[in-house]
């Protein structure tokens, strides 16, 4: 998962990396390497902006993320009781 480390970002700033921000977490992924990293994008200090977790994009992972998105949608749509 070295594609997503702070050192790799400095050495290869033009590498195949895309980012999607969700709240205060950034999902960084590489289609070429089929890897991803979760980063705390609102961290106060640069040393805390390193990946919290890295991994390979595995078959079926999109279904798990869709399930999470559906849960979030239900929570957002709930009326305050």
């Amino acid at each position: 998962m070295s594609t997503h480390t702070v050192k790799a970002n400095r050495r290869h700033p033009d590498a195949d990396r895309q980012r999607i921000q969700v709240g205060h977490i950034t999902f960084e992924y590489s289609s070429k390497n089929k890897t991803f990293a979760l980063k705390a994008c609102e961290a106060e200090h640069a040393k805390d902006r390193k990946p919290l977790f890295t991994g390979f994009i595995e078959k079926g992972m999109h279904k798990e993320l869709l399930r999470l998105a559906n849960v979030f949608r239900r929570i957002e749509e709930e009326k305050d009781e």
Side-chain angles (χ1 to χ4, degrees):
M1 278 26 84
S2 62
T3 303
H4 304 284
T5 64
V6 173
K7 187 184 283 187
N9 286 339
R10 278 192 221 123
R11 286 185 178 168
H12 309 286
D14 297 328
D16 172 44
R17 291 183 207 95
Q18 290 82 39
R19 291 170 190 86
I20 297 174
Q21 187 168 339
V22 179
H24 62 277
I25 298 291
T26 297
F27 289 81
E28 182 178 274
Y29 63 94
S30 169
S31 299
K32 179 181 176 184
N33 297 335
K34 297 184 179 180
T35 58
F36 71 96
L38 301 179
K39 297 183 175 186
C41 60
E42 293 180 2
E44 185 175 339
H45 305 287
K47 67 180 179 75
D48 298 325
R49 292 187 204 117
K50 62 186 178 186
L52 302 170
F53 180 84
T54 62
F56 290 99
I57 298 171
E58 299 176 3
K59 189 172 184 123
M61 197 176 271
H62 74 282
K63 292 178 185 176
E64 296 169 351
L65 291 169
L66 286 171
R67 191 173 63 189
L68 177 64
N70 285 330
V71 170
F72 279 23
R73 181 184 311 137
R74 281 195 304 261
I75 293 169
E76 289 174 355
E77 291 173 351
E78 284 179 1
K79 294 183 179 179
D80 292 329
E81 296 177 16

